[in-house]
Amino acid sequence: MTQLIKNYTNSRDLVKQRITELSELRLSLMKRGDIRRVAELDLDRRIRMLYEEHGEMQEIISHLTSYNRRRESFGKM
């Protein structure tokens, strides 16, 4: 269970890193006035989807962590 939580946490961190990269790219393109390139790369949709995925992963991590704590507390009784 602990390894599963670590894997989800690592994946969540990678998603957050990708959000940062795409957001920086979008900002850079917007500063240059290259709105067409932002649309071509579909950056707004990709960033939004990554935020949704990040939130879902956070919920899973919270649920697994909570479950693991309950399981451990019952084991100590």
Side-chain angles (χ1 to χ4, degrees):
M1 179 68 72
T2 304
Q3 187 60 42
L4 183 61
I5 294 169
K6 286 180 184 178
N7 289 342
Y8 267 103
T9 302
N10 184 43
S11 294
R12 181 204 57 200
D13 293 343
L14 291 173
V15 167
K16 186 63 176 173
Q17 180 181 351
R18 187 66 178 149
I19 289 169
T20 301
E21 292 169 0
L22 291 178
S23 296
E24 289 173 355
L25 175 60
R26 182 186 181 283
L27 182 61
S28 172
L29 291 170
M30 293 297 280
K31 282 183 178 179
R32 287 188 270 162
D34 200 353
I35 297 170
R36 189 176 57 105
R37 185 73 176 139
V38 171
E40 284 175 5
L41 294 174
D42 205 12
L43 290 176
D44 292 329
R45 183 185 66 81
R46 290 168 61 190
I47 292 168
R48 187 174 49 252
M49 287 176 62
L50 286 169
Y51 270 115
E52 289 174 15
E53 185 176 349
H54 183 270
E56 290 169 0
M57 290 176 134
Q58 186 59 46
E59 287 179 26
I60 291 169
I61 291 167
S62 296
H63 183 75
L64 290 174
T65 302
S66 174
Y67 173 76
N68 199 34
R69 282 190 196 128
R70 284 193 313 267
R71 207 175 100 213
E72 288 175 357
S73 71
F74 284 127
K76 292 180 181 178
M77 291 181 162

